[in-house]
Amino acid sequence: MKHNAVERRRFLSLCAGGLLAVIGVLVVAPVVAFVTSPLRKVGGSPVGGIDYSDAGPLESLPIGQWTLVPLEIVRQDGWIKERESRSVWVRRGAAGDHELQVLSPICTHLGCPIARTTDASQFRCPCHGGIFDTDGKLLSGPPPRNMDALDFRLSDGHLWVRWQDFKISVPERVAVQV
């Protein structure tokens, strides 16, 4: 009888140890996955860079007209992922995809949003009266430089724009890391 009790104790001890090991793995695995998730992150956009955001299909952009196109920017810092809404001015030239311009709508003076005039002949900053021509070149006012051009790529008929912030109130174009 004593031999049976020892076998039973050993069996119950092994079962309890196995159960505790399973519970330990179930608790530790999500913690390890959470801690290592930034290391396993793969690039986010099909054009090869996570800095580029989809601005939509090219065919939706009218030829020869500036269009304010909304973007959703995703910025990731470690485990924190933030989504921001931005917009860019885009114009497709008469040659179609080969004459594409993308400009930041942020005034180079103090960062106000730049809008088109009612007759669509110029860009105008409503804060301090900065005026830019139809190509984004400074015509008059306090802004120290032209409107900032943004990098873009074309992939599968879609426009991908790399949003970038630039220092304001300085004559040279200096990228800012946000």
Side-chain angles (χ1 to χ4, degrees), residues 99-159:
E99 288 184 21
L100 201 59
Q101 287 180 281
V102 180
L103 297 176
S104 171
I106 307 293
C107 183
T108 57
H109 178 227
L110 291 178
C112 295
I114 297 172
R116 297 285 289 159
T117 57
T118 53
D119 64 354
S121 64
Q122 298 172 332
F123 288 101
R124 184 177 296 249
C125 176
C127 296
H128 300 105
I131 299 174
F132 304 88
D133 71 6
T134 57
D135 290 325
K137 294 193 178 13
L138 179 64
L139 294 177
S140 68
R145 65 179 185 271
N146 300 332
M147 292 173 68
D148 294 317
L150 298 173
D151 295 335
F152 63 90
R153 294 181 182 171
L154 303 175
S155 176
D156 295 328
H158 277 246
L159 173 65

Side-chain angles (χ1 to χ4, degrees), residues 19-136:
L19 184 61
L20 285 174
V22 168
I23 290 172
V25 167
L26 290 175
V27 169
V28 170
V31 171
V32 169
F34 176 76
V35 170
T36 62
S37 65
L39 301 175
R40 295 179 283 117
K41 177 138 177 56
V42 178
S45 75
V47 292
I50 69 170
D51 292 341
Y52 286 82
S53 301
D54 189 4
L58 276 177
E59 62 190 31
S60 68
L61 299 171
I63 293 177
Q65 289 182 314
W66 283 102
T67 306
L68 192 60
V69 177
L71 291 178
E72 183 175 302
I73 308 301
V74 178
R75 294 189 179 177
Q76 185 162 355
D77 183 17
W79 294 272
I80 300 171
K81 187 182 281 188
E82 294 179 4
R83 296 185 183 281
E84 299 175 7
S85 294
R86 300 284 189 195
S87 57
V88 293
W89 285 107
V90 180
R91 179 173 66 179
R92 233 171 80 180
D97 306 346
H98 302 293
E99 288 184 21
L100 201 59
Q101 287 180 281
V102 180
L103 297 176
S104 171
I106 307 293
C107 183
T108 57
H109 178 227
L110 291 178
C112 295
I114 297 172
R116 297 285 289 159
T117 57
T118 53
D119 64 354
S121 64
Q122 298 172 332
F123 288 101
R124 184 177 296 249
C125 176
C127 296
H128 300 105
I131 299 174
F132 304 88
D133 71 6
T134 57
D135 290 325

